[in-house]
Each structure stands twice: as C-alpha cells, then as structure tokens.
Amino acid sequence: MSAALIALDWGTTNRRGWALSASGDVIDERADGEGLLSLEKDAFAPSFARFVEPWKVLDRKLPAIMCGMVGSKLGWAEASYLSTPVDLSDLARSLLTVQFDGQFDVRIVPGVSAETGSVPDVMRGEECQVLAVLAESGLEKACLVLPGTHSKWVTVADGKLTGFRTYMTGEIFNALSAQGTLAQLMEKGPFDHTAFAFGLERAVSDGALTHQLFGVRTLGLFGRLKRPALASYLSGLLIGAEFADAISWAEARSVIAVGSPNLLENYRLAAQHFGIAVETRDNSTLLPPALFAIARAAGLIR
Amino acid sequence: MSAALIALDWGTTNRRGWALSASGDVIDERADGEGLLSLEKDAFAPSFARFVEPWKVLDRKLPAIMCGMVGSKLGWAEASYLSTPVDLSDLARSLLTVQFDGQFDVRIVPGVSAETGSVPDVMRGEECQVLAVLAESGLEKACLVLPGTHSKWVTVADGKLTGFRTYMTGEIFNALSAQGTLAQLMEKGPFDHTAFAFGLERAVSDGALTHQLFGVRTLGLFGRLKRPALASYLSGLLIGAEFADAISWAEARSVIAVGSPNLLENYRLAAQHFGIAVETRDNSTLLPPALFAIARAAGLIR
C-alpha cells in the first residue's frame, strides 16, 4: 500500500505524523519531540524534511496537511482563526498553504475562535478531534470536553462546532503543584477518590475558587487530608469549577470526553458526580481520519 | 526613655522588631531578612539573640512578644490557633511561652482559625493588625481586607473578630505572571486603569475564573490589550473575583483596606467599582501598639 497523504499533529512540545493510503488507512506512524518550543522560525522547513524523510515525501511530492500549534504565531506560519460556527468543509476551504522547497506545498488547518463579551477564545487542533468524533459517531448535536493543559468544552449543533470555552485547569493544577504554599504540603501519591469527590463538592459550594484553593493548604495543615491526597483534592476543586461552569454554559445533559485515557478517568468521575451522562473516547487514533477527511474535502488527494 | 518591651513581627521572608517604652512609644526599630525560610529549627534562638542584641534584651531580661509565621509549624515553636470569635484579651490569655537561654521567656501570639463546610481557614499576624485597627478606630463592627500574597477578608462584630476568608490572589497573580502561557505574552508596564477595570468587570460576568484567565492570553494574542496592560487585566480578574465573593459573604457595604500603600490602591479602585465605601490604612505602624496592648493585657509589662 503506498502513501497518498502525509498528516501531522505538530504541537508545542511534540509532533506525531502519519502516512495515509488513498483510502485513509494508516500505513506508518512517527513521533518525536521537535515541538514549537525547540524550533526557531526558519528551522520548521528543514525539521519537516527530516521528519518525513522515511516516507520519501519530497521525491514523490506527496500532499501534506498539518494541524496544531504549528499554525500559531510561534509556529511555521500563522494560519488564521475561523469564527464559530465551523464545520469540516469550512476548515477544508481555509487551509493555509506554505510553500516548501520551491516546488512543494504543505497545508495548515486554521484554528477556530469564539467571542464572549469582547473577549476572544481560541483553539488549534482540538477542532479536528471534535469533527472526527462527529464523523465517527454521526452525531449532529453534542457537547464534548477535551481535557488537558487547557481544557476545551465544545458545543455542536447541526453538525457544526457552534461554540467553545477554554479552562486553564491543567496549567493551574501544574503551576500550584510545582511550587508555592500548596505545593509545600503536597506529596506524591495514588489518586484518592474520596479527596477528589470532596474537591468536586467544595468547588460548587459558597466561596470563590481563589478562596477554595487555600483549603488545599489548611486541610493538609490540620491533617484532615493526608499529604499524598492533596493533589486529588486540588484536582477535584479545579475540575469541579470547570464542570459546574461548562455544563451550565453548554446546557449539557451528556458529554463526550475526548483525550488520553489517564485524563479521562477524572472527567468520567466528575460527570457522574454532576449527574450528567458521559462517554469517553481515547483520542490517540482520532486525528488521521479527521485530517484525511479535510484533505479530501480540500481536493488534496489524487 | 528606656525599653520596656520588645515586639517582633517575624514572617516567612522578613522580620521587623521594635523596642517600646513602658507607655508603648516606639524607641527604636530594626528589620532584616532572616525570615523562616532562611532558618533551620534550632537557629531561631541564636538568630533572635543576634537580632535583639543592640537592645540589651538578655542582660535586662526584657519581655518579648512576637507574631507572624514564627508561631507556625515551620517557625520557632508552634502556637495553636484560636477559633473565631476572638478578641484581644483572648489572644493575650493564650500566648505561647518559649523558654530561651534557660532564664528568659519569649511569647508568641496564637493564630486564628475559622471553619466552613469542614474546611479550616487560618491566619497568623493579620489578627493583630485587625485588632490594632479596631483599637485605633473604636469600631465595634466592621469589614476589613488585608491584601497580599494571601488576601484576608475579616468581619468584626461586638469588637470581636468573628470570621474571615483567605484568597490566594497575590500568589496566583505571581505564579501566572512568572511563567506559563499567560506570562509568555505579559510585558512589564505601568498600571493600566482601563485594563484593570475591564478585568473587574469580566470577573463577575458569566464564566469560571479558570476560563476568564485564558482571556489574558487571547486579548494579548488578538492585540485587544497591549502586552504591558495584561498584568493589570489579570490583577482585575483576580481582585474582582475576590471582591465579588467577599462582599457577598461579609454582607459588606464598606470596607477598611489595611496594607502597604502600593497594594491598597488597586483595592480602593475595586471597592469603588463594586460600589462599596472604602477607607485605607497603611499597616506599617499598626503592629507595635497592637503587640503592646496584648503584652499589657497579658501582664508582661512591669
């Protein structure tokens, strides 16, 4: 089976790439750590050439499509944001073309933006995962969450991505666990269900999040939670604040949680806690069919 | 005028000390950077001896009283927490005595704790500032805020400290300004009134704080706020979240903001924004009379 399309998910710290057949099957897969943070502006083209070398992309002039932060200000070239509502064909019509090596083009999928109260919100890469889930499930209306450093809640109606909200849940968890007055008391330990559920409960009780967070310290200080359980409590507070806001905003009674299995478990528990139905979807195999579908809609595949 | 009492505010990173006369006047003042973080457990006694050496405390066996984190688990000795409601005479009755040098005692003021939904809250040192403001103003009922790394809102009724809430406003501002996806776009600049007011406004609009925080990034990304204005916007979001929660919790129509002048200005603006009356009080001269009053009530002054 010979490759008909090269697809890349090129992010801040990592990149993954797939060689796909003319019918969208994954023929080969590669991954490395040459994300945006490790590359200067003029290093993207040579880095791409090295990455796809095993697939003879340049000799064969194979079409290439990529999504993720590679299309941001700090990436290879800046692809615009499309405003919601957006569907797959909108993305396919708006690919950014980057000339490469004088005779060869690569395409970058645009990001998506939404606006609330004159504050914009943005995503890059998640839109492809959302559209892949829609294509796979046949759903026309749904609410999805993509947990992570910046967790995204996405609403879909009539097969279009109609709105979304970003929550800095993962980044704030990491920042407060790494140093400061909460980190001082936190110790590594296994996930603690009781502490996590307690955090979810406190997250929706009276008190701003910046007040509730101080409870991570005092519960440790007073020995009400063991130090190895404090991270689970912190996680419960942050995910609880995210859930309470997001399900009210999305008016969701069910959610599809899309991500890596280790992140999905907390979101599954939180959904149960908040009384909404939840379905989980491992995202590791989602992007190749999504990028293939966009490339086909854009007429890139011969 | 000869010293009758030595008073210390011994915190995490700094300490200040005063030699007070028998009538409570400040005769001399010292400060250095030997806070808790720079001292091992057995280094407190020798460090204290060096600090008070100019005042001949040991020769003259002067009484010494101290407040702040010196009474915490990581301090010289752990002073308990008194539960709210608490007044000055409660503190005076509960001083921790630490024997020093075999023949000399120092006293540490206890902290104060409050409880909400089985999560404790704590303060150490702020209670002395609050009681000093009460003594000075003659107020029996008030709401006070002490801005800082951990901002404290305190309610007072019948001359007693009846309740309080801690907000990690300063610590989270510092953490997000130091590194991460918000810090990447933030640039040093003068305080920006418009951006700060916009942050206060967004803080009370629909959307969890972890969602609103992402707006610091997107407003910078889209050029809606200049990079040197992003810190003021972030400050507005965090102080706004604190205010909205605290004034509703305290049912406050007015507040006394107590702290260093550079922190008070933002709180004064926020109080105006939220339509509550505000009075500000520089805290640099508050502690000596408060510690003197506690020492006198405890019978420490001959």
Side-chain angles (χ1 to χ4, degrees), chain A residues 73 115 117-118 120-122 150 165-166 168 171-172 179-181 202 206-208 210-211 214 218 221-222 224 245, chain B residues 73 115 117-118 120-122 150 165-166 168 171-172 179-181 202 206-208 210-211 213-214 218 221-222 224 245:
Chain A
K73 264 197 177 68
E115 184 101 9
S118 68
D121 202 342
V122 293
H150 296 162
R165 270 192 183 180
T166 302
M168 294 183 64
E171 179 165 349
I172 290 174
Q179 52 185 335
T181 52
R202 291 299 304 163
D206 181 43
T210 52
H211 168 59
F214 193 62
T218 55
L221 213 52
F222 281 55
R224 306 258 181 104
D245 185 65
Chain B
K73 263 198 177 69
E115 183 100 9
S118 69
D121 203 341
V122 293
H150 297 162
R165 271 192 183 180
T166 302
M168 294 182 65
E171 180 165 347
I172 291 174
Q179 51 186 337
T181 53
R202 292 299 304 162
D206 181 44
T210 52
H211 168 59
L213 288 171
F214 193 63
T218 54
L221 213 53
F222 280 56
R224 306 257 180 105
D245 185 64

CSV table of all heavy atoms in Angstrom, one decimal, chain A residues 73 115 117-118 120-122 150 165-166 168 171-172 179-181 202 206-208 210-211 214 218 221-222 224 245, chain B residues 73 115 117-118 120-122 150 165-166 168 171-172 179-181 202 206-208 210-211 213-214 218 221-222 224 245:
chain,number,residue,atom,x,y,z
A,73,LYS,N,1.3,31.9,15.9
A,73,LYS,CA,2.3,32.9,15.7
A,73,LYS,C,3.7,32.4,15.9
A,73,LYS,O,4.6,32.8,15.2
A,73,LYS,CB,2.1,34.0,16.8
A,73,LYS,CG,1.3,35.2,16.3
A,73,LYS,CD,1.5,36.4,17.3
A,73,LYS,CE,0.8,37.6,16.8
A,73,LYS,NZ,-0.7,37.5,16.9
A,115,GLU,N,-16.2,34.3,20.6
A,115,GLU,CA,-16.2,35.6,21.3
A,115,GLU,C,-17.2,35.6,22.3
A,115,GLU,O,-18.4,35.3,22.1
A,115,GLU,CB,-16.4,36.6,20.2
A,115,GLU,CG,-16.3,38.0,20.6
A,115,GLU,CD,-15.0,38.7,20.2
A,115,GLU,OE1,-14.2,38.1,19.5
A,115,GLU,OE2,-14.7,39.8,20.7
A,117,GLY,N,-18.4,38.5,25.3
A,117,GLY,CA,-18.2,39.8,26.0
A,117,GLY,C,-17.0,40.5,25.6
A,117,GLY,O,-16.2,41.0,26.4
A,118,SER,N,-16.7,40.5,24.3
A,118,SER,CA,-15.5,41.1,23.7
A,118,SER,C,-14.2,40.5,24.1
A,118,SER,O,-13.1,41.1,24.0
A,118,SER,CB,-15.5,42.6,23.8
A,118,SER,OG,-15.3,43.0,25.2
A,120,PRO,N,-12.0,37.2,23.2
A,120,PRO,CA,-12.0,36.0,22.3
A,120,PRO,C,-11.5,34.7,23.0
A,120,PRO,O,-10.9,34.8,24.1
A,120,PRO,CB,-10.9,36.4,21.2
A,120,PRO,CG,-10.2,37.6,21.7
A,120,PRO,CD,-10.8,38.1,23.0
A,121,ASP,N,-11.9,33.6,22.4
A,121,ASP,CA,-11.4,32.3,22.8
A,121,ASP,C,-10.8,31.6,21.6
A,121,ASP,O,-11.3,31.9,20.5
A,121,ASP,CB,-12.5,31.5,23.5
A,121,ASP,CG,-11.9,30.4,24.5
A,121,ASP,OD1,-10.7,30.1,24.3
A,121,ASP,OD2,-12.6,30.0,25.3
A,122,VAL,N,-9.8,30.8,21.8
A,122,VAL,CA,-9.2,30.1,20.6
A,122,VAL,C,-8.9,28.7,20.8
A,122,VAL,O,-8.7,28.2,21.9
A,122,VAL,CB,-7.9,30.8,20.2
A,122,VAL,CG1,-8.1,32.3,19.7
A,122,VAL,CG2,-6.9,30.9,21.3
A,150,HIS,N,-5.0,23.1,28.7
A,150,HIS,CA,-6.2,24.0,28.5
A,150,HIS,C,-7.3,23.1,28.1
A,150,HIS,O,-7.4,22.7,26.9
A,150,HIS,CB,-5.8,25.0,27.5
A,150,HIS,CG,-4.7,25.9,27.9
A,150,HIS,ND1,-4.0,26.7,27.0
A,150,HIS,CD2,-4.1,26.2,29.1
A,150,HIS,CE1,-3.0,27.4,27.6
A,150,HIS,NE2,-3.1,27.1,28.9
A,165,ARG,N,-15.5,26.9,25.1
A,165,ARG,CA,-14.9,27.6,26.3
A,165,ARG,C,-13.6,26.9,26.7
A,165,ARG,O,-13.6,25.6,26.8
A,165,ARG,CB,-15.8,27.6,27.5
A,165,ARG,CG,-16.7,28.8,27.5
A,165,ARG,CD,-17.4,29.0,28.8
A,165,ARG,NE,-18.3,30.2,28.7
A,165,ARG,CZ,-19.0,30.7,29.6
A,165,ARG,NH1,-19.0,30.1,30.8
A,165,ARG,NH2,-19.8,31.7,29.5
A,166,THR,N,-12.6,27.6,26.9
A,166,THR,CA,-11.3,27.1,27.4
A,166,THR,C,-11.2,27.3,28.9
A,166,THR,O,-11.5,28.4,29.4
A,166,THR,CB,-10.1,27.8,26.7
A,166,THR,OG1,-10.2,27.7,25.3
A,166,THR,CG2,-8.8,27.3,27.1
A,168,MET,N,-8.3,26.8,32.0
A,168,MET,CA,-6.8,26.6,32.2
A,168,MET,C,-6.6,25.6,33.4
A,168,MET,O,-5.6,25.7,34.1
A,168,MET,CB,-6.1,27.9,32.6
A,168,MET,CG,-6.1,28.9,31.4
A,168,MET,SD,-5.2,30.4,31.7
A,168,MET,CE,-3.5,29.8,32.0
A,171,GLU,N,-3.1,23.7,33.4
A,171,GLU,CA,-1.9,24.6,33.7
A,171,GLU,C,-1.9,25.1,35.1
A,171,GLU,O,-0.9,25.1,35.7
A,171,GLU,CB,-2.0,25.7,32.7
A,171,GLU,CG,-0.8,26.7,32.9
A,171,GLU,CD,-0.6,27.7,31.8
A,171,GLU,OE1,-1.2,27.5,30.7
A,171,GLU,OE2,0.2,28.6,32.0
A,172,ILE,N,-3.1,25.4,35.6
A,172,ILE,CA,-3.1,25.9,37.0
A,172,ILE,C,-2.9,24.8,38.0
A,172,ILE,O,-2.1,25.0,39.0
A,172,ILE,CB,-4.5,26.6,37.3
A,172,ILE,CG1,-4.5,27.9,36.4
A,172,ILE,CG2,-4.7,26.9,38.7
A,172,ILE,CD1,-5.7,28.7,36.5
A,179,GLN,N,5.2,24.6,42.7
A,179,GLN,CA,5.8,25.4,43.8
A,179,GLN,C,4.7,26.3,44.4
A,179,GLN,O,3.6,26.5,43.9
A,179,GLN,CB,6.9,26.2,43.3
A,179,GLN,CG,6.7,27.1,42.0
A,179,GLN,CD,7.9,27.7,41.5
A,179,GLN,OE1,8.9,28.0,42.3
A,179,GLN,NE2,8.0,28.1,40.2
A,180,GLY,N,5.1,26.9,45.6
A,180,GLY,CA,4.2,27.8,46.3
A,180,GLY,C,3.7,27.1,47.6
A,180,GLY,O,4.1,26.0,47.9
A,181,THR,N,2.8,27.8,48.2
A,181,THR,CA,2.3,27.3,49.5
A,181,THR,C,1.5,26.0,49.5
A,181,THR,O,1.3,25.4,50.5
A,181,THR,CB,1.5,28.4,50.3
A,181,THR,OG1,0.5,28.9,49.4
A,181,THR,CG2,2.4,29.5,50.7
A,202,ARG,N,-16.7,20.7,47.2
A,202,ARG,CA,-16.4,22.1,47.6
A,202,ARG,C,-16.4,23.1,46.5
A,202,ARG,O,-16.6,24.3,46.7
A,202,ARG,CB,-15.0,22.1,48.3
A,202,ARG,CG,-15.0,21.3,49.6
A,202,ARG,CD,-15.9,21.9,50.7
A,202,ARG,NE,-15.7,23.3,51.0
A,202,ARG,CZ,-16.5,24.1,51.6
A,202,ARG,NH1,-17.7,23.6,52.0
A,202,ARG,NH2,-16.2,25.4,51.8
A,206,ASP,N,-20.3,27.6,48.4
A,206,ASP,CA,-20.0,29.1,48.5
A,206,ASP,C,-18.5,29.3,48.6
A,206,ASP,O,-17.8,28.6,49.4
A,206,ASP,CB,-20.8,29.5,49.8
A,206,ASP,CG,-20.6,31.0,50.0
A,206,ASP,OD1,-20.7,31.8,49.0
A,206,ASP,OD2,-20.4,31.4,51.2
A,207,GLY,N,-18.0,30.3,48.0
A,207,GLY,CA,-16.6,30.7,48.1
A,207,GLY,C,-15.9,30.7,46.7
A,207,GLY,O,-16.0,29.7,46.0
A,208,ALA,N,-15.3,31.8,46.4
A,208,ALA,CA,-14.5,31.9,45.1
A,208,ALA,C,-13.4,30.8,45.0
A,208,ALA,O,-12.9,30.4,46.1
A,208,ALA,CB,-13.9,33.3,45.0
A,210,THR,N,-10.3,31.1,44.3
A,210,THR,CA,-9.1,31.5,44.9
A,210,THR,C,-9.2,31.4,46.5
A,210,THR,O,-8.1,31.3,47.1
A,210,THR,CB,-8.7,33.0,44.6
A,210,THR,OG1,-9.9,33.8,44.9
A,210,THR,CG2,-8.3,33.1,43.2
A,211,HIS,N,-10.4,31.4,47.0
A,211,HIS,CA,-10.6,31.0,48.4
A,211,HIS,C,-10.5,29.5,48.6
A,211,HIS,O,-9.8,29.0,49.5
A,211,HIS,CB,-11.9,31.6,48.9
A,211,HIS,CG,-12.3,31.1,50.3
A,211,HIS,ND1,-11.5,31.3,51.4
A,211,HIS,CD2,-13.4,30.4,50.7
A,211,HIS,CE1,-12.1,30.7,52.5
A,211,HIS,NE2,-13.2,30.2,52.0
A,214,PHE,N,-7.1,27.8,48.9
A,214,PHE,CA,-6.4,27.9,50.1
A,214,PHE,C,-6.7,26.7,51.1
A,214,PHE,O,-5.9,26.3,51.9
A,214,PHE,CB,-6.7,29.2,50.9
A,214,PHE,CG,-5.7,29.5,52.0
A,214,PHE,CD1,-4.4,29.7,51.8
A,214,PHE,CD2,-6.2,29.6,53.3
A,214,PHE,CE1,-3.5,30.0,52.8
A,214,PHE,CE2,-5.3,29.9,54.3
A,214,PHE,CZ,-4.0,30.1,54.1
A,218,THR,N,-4.8,24.3,54.2
A,218,THR,CA,-5.3,24.1,55.5
A,218,THR,C,-5.8,22.7,55.8
A,218,THR,O,-5.5,22.2,56.9
A,218,THR,CB,-6.5,25.1,55.8
A,218,THR,OG1,-7.5,24.9,54.8
A,218,THR,CG2,-6.1,26.5,55.8
A,221,LEU,N,-2.6,21.1,56.5
A,221,LEU,CA,-2.0,21.7,57.8
A,221,LEU,C,-2.7,21.0,59.0
A,221,LEU,O,-2.0,20.7,60.0
A,221,LEU,CB,-2.3,23.2,57.8
A,221,LEU,CG,-1.3,24.1,58.4
A,221,LEU,CD1,0.1,23.9,57.9
A,221,LEU,CD2,-1.8,25.6,58.1
A,222,PHE,N,-4.0,20.9,59.0
A,222,PHE,CA,-4.8,20.3,60.1
A,222,PHE,C,-4.9,18.8,60.0
A,222,PHE,O,-5.5,18.2,60.9
A,222,PHE,CB,-6.2,20.9,60.1
A,222,PHE,CG,-6.3,22.3,60.6
A,222,PHE,CD1,-5.5,23.3,60.2
A,222,PHE,CD2,-7.1,22.6,61.7
A,222,PHE,CE1,-5.5,24.6,60.7
A,222,PHE,CE2,-7.2,23.9,62.2
A,222,PHE,CZ,-6.4,24.9,61.7
A,224,ARG,N,-6.5,16.9,58.0
A,224,ARG,CA,-7.8,16.4,57.6
A,224,ARG,C,-7.7,15.6,56.4
A,224,ARG,O,-8.5,14.7,56.1
A,224,ARG,CB,-8.8,17.6,57.4
A,224,ARG,CG,-8.9,18.5,58.5
A,224,ARG,CD,-10.1,18.3,59.4
A,224,ARG,NE,-10.2,19.3,60.4
A,224,ARG,CZ,-11.0,20.4,60.4
A,224,ARG,NH1,-11.8,20.6,59.4
A,224,ARG,NH2,-11.0,21.2,61.5
A,245,ASP,N,-19.3,25.3,35.7
A,245,ASP,CA,-19.5,26.4,34.7
A,245,ASP,C,-19.8,25.9,33.3
A,245,ASP,O,-20.8,26.4,32.7
A,245,ASP,CB,-18.2,27.2,34.6
A,245,ASP,CG,-18.3,28.4,33.7
A,245,ASP,OD1,-19.1,29.3,34.1
A,245,ASP,OD2,-17.7,28.5,32.7
B,73,LYS,N,4.1,25.8,62.2
B,73,LYS,CA,4.9,24.5,62.2
B,73,LYS,C,6.3,24.7,61.8
B,73,LYS,O,7.2,24.1,62.3
B,73,LYS,CB,4.2,23.6,61.2
B,73,LYS,CG,3.2,22.6,61.8
B,73,LYS,CD,3.0,21.4,60.9
B,73,LYS,CE,2.1,20.4,61.5
B,73,LYS,NZ,0.7,20.9,61.6
B,115,GLU,N,-13.9,28.0,60.3
B,115,GLU,CA,-14.2,26.7,59.7
B,115,GLU,C,-15.4,26.9,58.7
B,115,GLU,O,-16.4,27.5,59.2
B,115,GLU,CB,-14.6,25.8,60.8
B,115,GLU,CG,-14.9,24.4,60.4
B,115,GLU,CD,-13.7,23.4,60.6
B,115,GLU,OE1,-12.7,23.8,61.2
B,115,GLU,OE2,-13.9,22.3,60.1
B,117,GLY,N,-17.8,24.5,56.1
B,117,GLY,CA,-18.0,23.2,55.4
B,117,GLY,C,-16.9,22.2,55.6
B,117,GLY,O,-16.5,21.6,54.7
B,118,SER,N,-16.4,22.1,56.8
B,118,SER,CA,-15.4,21.2,57.3
B,118,SER,C,-14.0,21.5,56.6
B,118,SER,O,-13.1,20.7,56.6
B,118,SER,CB,-15.7,19.8,57.1
B,118,SER,OG,-15.8,19.4,55.8
B,120,PRO,N,-11.0,24.2,57.2
B,120,PRO,CA,-10.5,25.3,58.0
B,120,PRO,C,-9.9,26.4,57.2
B,120,PRO,O,-9.5,26.2,56.1
B,120,PRO,CB,-9.4,24.6,58.9
B,120,PRO,CG,-9.1,23.3,58.3
B,120,PRO,CD,-10.1,23.0,57.2
B,121,ASP,N,-9.8,27.6,57.8
B,121,ASP,CA,-9.1,28.7,57.3
B,121,ASP,C,-8.2,29.2,58.4
B,121,ASP,O,-8.6,29.1,59.6
B,121,ASP,CB,-10.0,29.8,56.8
B,121,ASP,CG,-9.4,30.7,55.7
B,121,ASP,OD1,-8.1,30.7,55.7
B,121,ASP,OD2,-10.1,31.3,55.0
B,122,VAL,N,-7.1,29.8,58.1
B,122,VAL,CA,-6.1,30.2,59.2
B,122,VAL,C,-5.5,31.6,58.9
B,122,VAL,O,-5.4,32.0,57.7
B,122,VAL,CB,-5.0,29.2,59.3
B,122,VAL,CG1,-5.5,27.9,59.9
B,122,VAL,CG2,-4.2,29.0,58.0
B,150,HIS,N,-1.6,36.2,50.3
B,150,HIS,CA,-2.9,35.6,50.7
B,150,HIS,C,-3.8,36.7,51.3
B,150,HIS,O,-3.6,37.1,52.5
B,150,HIS,CB,-2.7,34.5,51.7
B,150,HIS,CG,-1.9,33.3,51.2
B,150,HIS,ND1,-1.3,32.4,52.0
B,150,HIS,CD2,-1.6,33.0,49.9
B,150,HIS,CE1,-0.6,31.5,51.2
B,150,HIS,NE2,-0.8,31.9,49.9
B,165,ARG,N,-12.1,35.1,55.5
B,165,ARG,CA,-11.8,34.2,54.4
B,165,ARG,C,-10.5,34.6,53.7
B,165,ARG,O,-10.2,35.8,53.6
B,165,ARG,CB,-12.9,34.4,53.3
B,165,ARG,CG,-14.0,33.5,53.5
B,165,ARG,CD,-15.0,33.5,52.3
B,165,ARG,NE,-16.1,32.6,52.6
B,165,ARG,CZ,-17.1,32.4,51.8
B,165,ARG,NH1,-17.1,32.9,50.6
B,165,ARG,NH2,-18.0,31.5,52.1
B,166,THR,N,-9.7,33.6,53.4
B,166,THR,CA,-8.4,33.8,52.7
B,166,THR,C,-8.6,33.7,51.2
B,166,THR,O,-9.3,32.7,50.8
B,166,THR,CB,-7.4,32.8,53.2
B,166,THR,OG1,-7.2,33.0,54.6
B,166,THR,CG2,-6.0,33.0,52.5
B,168,MET,N,-6.2,33.4,47.6
B,168,MET,CA,-4.8,33.3,47.2
B,168,MET,C,-4.5,34.3,46.0
B,168,MET,O,-3.7,33.9,45.1
B,168,MET,CB,-4.5,31.9,46.8
B,168,MET,CG,-4.5,30.9,48.0
B,168,MET,SD,-4.1,29.2,47.5
B,168,MET,CE,-2.4,29.4,47.0
B,171,GLU,N,-0.6,35.2,45.4
B,171,GLU,CA,0.2,34.1,45.0
B,171,GLU,C,-0.2,33.6,43.6
B,171,GLU,O,0.7,33.3,42.8
B,171,GLU,CB,0.0,32.9,46.0
B,171,GLU,CG,0.8,31.7,45.6
B,171,GLU,CD,1.0,30.7,46.7
B,171,GLU,OE1,0.7,31.0,47.9
B,171,GLU,OE2,1.5,29.6,46.4
B,172,ILE,N,-1.4,33.6,43.2
B,172,ILE,CA,-1.8,33.2,41.9
B,172,ILE,C,-1.4,34.2,40.9
B,172,ILE,O,-0.9,33.8,39.8
B,172,ILE,CB,-3.3,32.8,41.9
B,172,ILE,CG1,-3.5,31.5,42.7
B,172,ILE,CG2,-3.8,32.6,40.4
B,172,ILE,CD1,-4.9,31.1,42.9
B,179,GLN,N,5.5,32.4,34.9
B,179,GLN,CA,5.7,31.5,33.8
B,179,GLN,C,4.4,30.9,33.3
B,179,GLN,O,3.4,31.0,34.0
B,179,GLN,CB,6.7,30.4,34.1
B,179,GLN,CG,6.5,29.7,35.4
B,179,GLN,CD,7.6,28.7,35.7
B,179,GLN,OE1,8.3,28.3,34.9
B,179,GLN,NE2,7.8,28.3,37.0
B,180,GLY,N,4.5,30.3,32.2
B,180,GLY,CA,3.3,29.7,31.6
B,180,GLY,C,2.8,30.5,30.4
B,180,GLY,O,3.4,31.5,30.0
B,181,THR,N,1.6,30.1,29.9
B,181,THR,CA,1.1,30.7,28.7
B,181,THR,C,0.6,32.1,28.9
B,181,THR,O,0.5,32.8,27.9
B,181,THR,CB,-0.1,29.8,28.1
B,181,THR,OG1,-1.0,29.6,29.1
B,181,THR,CG2,0.4,28.5,27.6
B,202,ARG,N,-15.1,41.7,33.9
B,202,ARG,CA,-15.2,40.3,33.4
B,202,ARG,C,-15.2,39.3,34.5
B,202,ARG,O,-15.8,38.3,34.4
B,202,ARG,CB,-14.0,40.0,32.5
B,202,ARG,CG,-13.9,40.8,31.2
B,202,ARG,CD,-15.1,40.5,30.3
B,202,ARG,NE,-15.3,39.1,30.0
B,202,ARG,CZ,-16.4,38.5,29.5
B,202,ARG,NH1,-17.5,39.3,29.3
B,202,ARG,NH2,-16.5,37.3,29.3
B,206,ASP,N,-20.4,36.0,33.3
B,206,ASP,CA,-20.5,34.5,33.2
B,206,ASP,C,-19.2,33.9,32.9
B,206,ASP,O,-18.5,34.4,32.0
B,206,ASP,CB,-21.6,34.3,32.1
B,206,ASP,CG,-21.8,32.8,31.9
B,206,ASP,OD1,-22.0,32.1,32.9
B,206,ASP,OD2,-21.8,32.4,30.7
B,207,GLY,N,-18.9,32.8,33.5
B,207,GLY,CA,-17.6,32.1,33.2
B,207,GLY,C,-16.7,31.9,34.4
B,207,GLY,O,-16.4,32.9,35.1
B,208,ALA,N,-16.3,30.6,34.6
B,208,ALA,CA,-15.5,30.3,35.8
B,208,ALA,C,-14.2,31.1,35.7
B,208,ALA,O,-13.7,31.5,34.6
B,208,ALA,CB,-15.2,28.8,35.8
B,210,THR,N,-11.1,30.0,35.9
B,210,THR,CA,-10.2,29.3,35.1
B,210,THR,C,-10.4,29.5,33.6
B,210,THR,O,-9.5,29.4,32.8
B,210,THR,CB,-10.1,27.8,35.4
B,210,THR,OG1,-11.5,27.3,35.3
B,210,THR,CG2,-9.6,27.5,36.8
B,211,HIS,N,-11.7,29.9,33.3
B,211,HIS,CA,-12.0,30.3,31.9
B,211,HIS,C,-11.6,31.7,31.6
B,211,HIS,O,-10.9,32.0,30.6
B,211,HIS,CB,-13.5,30.0,31.6
B,211,HIS,CG,-13.9,30.7,30.3
B,211,HIS,ND1,-13.4,30.3,29.1
B,211,HIS,CD2,-14.9,31.6,30.1
B,211,HIS,CE1,-14.0,31.0,28.1
B,211,HIS,NE2,-14.9,31.8,28.7
B,213,LEU,N,-9.4,33.5,33.0
B,213,LEU,CA,-7.9,33.7,33.0
B,213,LEU,C,-7.3,33.5,31.6
B,213,LEU,O,-6.4,34.1,31.2
B,213,LEU,CB,-7.2,32.7,34.0
B,213,LEU,CG,-7.5,33.1,35.5
B,213,LEU,CD1,-6.9,31.9,36.3
B,213,LEU,CD2,-6.8,34.4,35.8
B,214,PHE,N,-7.9,32.5,30.8
B,214,PHE,CA,-7.4,32.3,29.5
B,214,PHE,C,-7.6,33.6,28.6
B,214,PHE,O,-6.8,33.7,27.6
B,214,PHE,CB,-8.2,31.1,28.8
B,214,PHE,CG,-7.5,30.6,27.6
B,214,PHE,CD1,-6.2,30.1,27.6
B,214,PHE,CD2,-8.2,30.6,26.4
B,214,PHE,CE1,-5.6,29.6,26.4
B,214,PHE,CE2,-7.6,30.1,25.2
B,214,PHE,CZ,-6.3,29.6,25.2
B,218,THR,N,-5.7,35.5,25.2
B,218,THR,CA,-6.4,35.7,23.9
B,218,THR,C,-6.4,37.3,23.7
B,218,THR,O,-6.3,37.7,22.5
B,218,THR,CB,-7.8,35.1,23.8
B,218,THR,OG1,-8.5,35.6,25.0
B,218,THR,CG2,-7.7,33.6,23.9
B,221,LEU,N,-3.1,38.0,22.4
B,221,LEU,CA,-2.9,37.4,21.1
B,221,LEU,C,-3.6,38.2,20.0
B,221,LEU,O,-3.1,38.3,18.9
B,221,LEU,CB,-3.6,36.0,21.2
B,221,LEU,CG,-3.0,34.8,20.4
B,221,LEU,CD1,-1.5,34.6,20.7
B,221,LEU,CD2,-3.7,33.5,20.8
B,222,PHE,N,-4.8,38.7,20.3
B,222,PHE,CA,-5.6,39.4,19.3
B,222,PHE,C,-5.3,40.9,19.3
B,222,PHE,O,-5.9,41.7,18.5
B,222,PHE,CB,-7.1,39.2,19.5
B,222,PHE,CG,-7.6,37.9,19.0
B,222,PHE,CD1,-7.0,36.7,19.3
B,222,PHE,CD2,-8.6,37.8,18.0
B,222,PHE,CE1,-7.5,35.4,18.9
B,222,PHE,CE2,-9.1,36.6,17.5
B,222,PHE,CZ,-8.5,35.4,18.0
B,224,ARG,N,-6.0,43.0,21.5
B,224,ARG,CA,-7.1,43.9,22.0
B,224,ARG,C,-6.6,44.6,23.3
B,224,ARG,O,-7.1,45.7,23.6
B,224,ARG,CB,-8.3,43.0,22.5
B,224,ARG,CG,-8.8,42.1,21.4
B,224,ARG,CD,-10.1,42.6,20.8
B,224,ARG,NE,-10.5,41.7,19.7
B,224,ARG,CZ,-11.6,40.9,19.9
B,224,ARG,NH1,-12.2,40.9,21.0
B,224,ARG,NH2,-11.9,40.1,18.9
B,245,ASP,N,-16.9,37.8,45.7
B,245,ASP,CA,-17.2,36.7,46.7
B,245,ASP,C,-17.2,37.3,48.1
B,245,ASP,O,-18.1,37.0,48.9
B,245,ASP,CB,-16.1,35.6,46.6
B,245,ASP,CG,-16.4,34.5,47.5
B,245,ASP,OD1,-17.5,33.8,47.3
B,245,ASP,OD2,-15.7,34.2,48.5
